[in-house]
Structure formats: C-alpha cells, structure tokens
Amino acid sequence: MPRADGIRLSRPEVALGAGIVVALGSDTCPLGEVYRVAQWLASQSAGQCGPCVFGTAALVDDFGRLLNGDPAGWHDAQRHLGLVPGRGACAHPDGSARFLASALEAFGDDVRAHLAGGCGRAVLGVLPVPGGAW
Ligand code: SF4
C-alpha cells in the first residue's frame, strides 16, 4: 500500500503515481489545472518517438478543446489515450496518458460542466509546473 509522509492510501487499487498529493481546493478549475500540467508534460518530450511527440501534443490539443466545450475534444482524447501508451521508447507518454485519463475520470462532473458551457472557475495555477508560465 503506497505511503507518503502522513498519507496512507487505503484503497489497494490506488497508486501514488509520481508520489505527490496536492489538494486543488474548490476555487480553481481542475481541468484547467490538468491542462497546464499536460502542456508541460508535452514540452518535456525528448523529441525522439513519434507517439510521444505527436501523441502528447494531440492530447494537449484535445484537452484544450474540451476545456472550450468542444465534445470532439473529449472523443479525440479518448481515442488518443488508447493509442499513446506503450509506444514510446520510455514511459514518459505512458505516465502522461495515465495522468490525463485519471483526470477525465476523477473530474467527470467538471468535464460535463465544460461541455455544457464551462465550470465558471478560473485556473489559479494550484498544480505546480516548472517555470509556472504554462
Ligand atoms: S517516449 Fe521517451 S524516449 Fe521517446 S521521445 Fe518521449 S521522452 Fe523521448
């Protein structure tokens, strides 16, 4: 069972992933937060594998369109999330896809809100990304 300082995950099917737990709070748009991280993840591709270079960029584009209420963004994200994992030389695209797939599941209510016109919250930048300008 994964453990971190002061945190014990009681559901065995829950993985700690990168080993970081951040409470987003209710003031920020969680999908916008995820989108910022997705942009950073895509920027970290070493540019050697097509599925990584083009796949993570496509996922960023999908999430951007989903944020703007385009249902095709959601459908394309589902398709790309099935295509990207396992096709890079390292696990970077796999981890990126897992993060985004998890976000779509965990923030399902927010996905529906965005597809219905938006969640009404700003993106406060709660999730830290290097440089902070993504
Ligand atoms: S999958 Fe890994 S090795 Fe391939 S381009 Fe992405 S980061 Fe580089």
Side-chain angles (χ1 to χ4, degrees), residues 41-42 44-53 56 84 87-94:
L41 288 169
Q44 297 306 297
S45 169
Q48 301 300 306
C49 310
C52 181
V53 175
T56 54
V84 169
R87 300 186 61 206
C90 77
H92 177 64
D94 301 27

Side-chain angles (χ1 to χ4, degrees), residues 17-122:
I20 301 167
V21 175
V22 177
L24 285 179
S26 58
D27 293 339
T28 191
C29 168
L31 291 178
E33 297 284 346
V34 166
Y35 180 60
R36 292 175 66 247
V37 175
Q39 288 177 299
W40 180 78
L41 288 169
S43 78
Q44 297 306 297
S45 169
Q48 301 300 306
C49 310
C52 181
V53 175
F54 300 112
T56 54
L59 283 166
V60 167
D61 180 66
D62 298 339
F63 269 70
R65 288 183 288 131
L66 169 58
L67 273 171
N68 288 321
D70 180 359
W74 184 89
H75 288 289
D76 287 345
Q78 299 299 325
R79 184 166 53 88
H80 291 137
L81 286 170
L83 292 172
V84 169
R87 300 186 61 206
C90 77
H92 177 64
D94 301 27
S96 301
R98 258 198 315 274
F99 172 71
L100 295 172
S102 171
L104 288 181
E105 182 180 341
F107 302 126
D109 289 346
D110 300 281
V111 169
R112 285 182 281 279
H114 276 267
L115 292 178
C119 73
R121 287 172 286 179

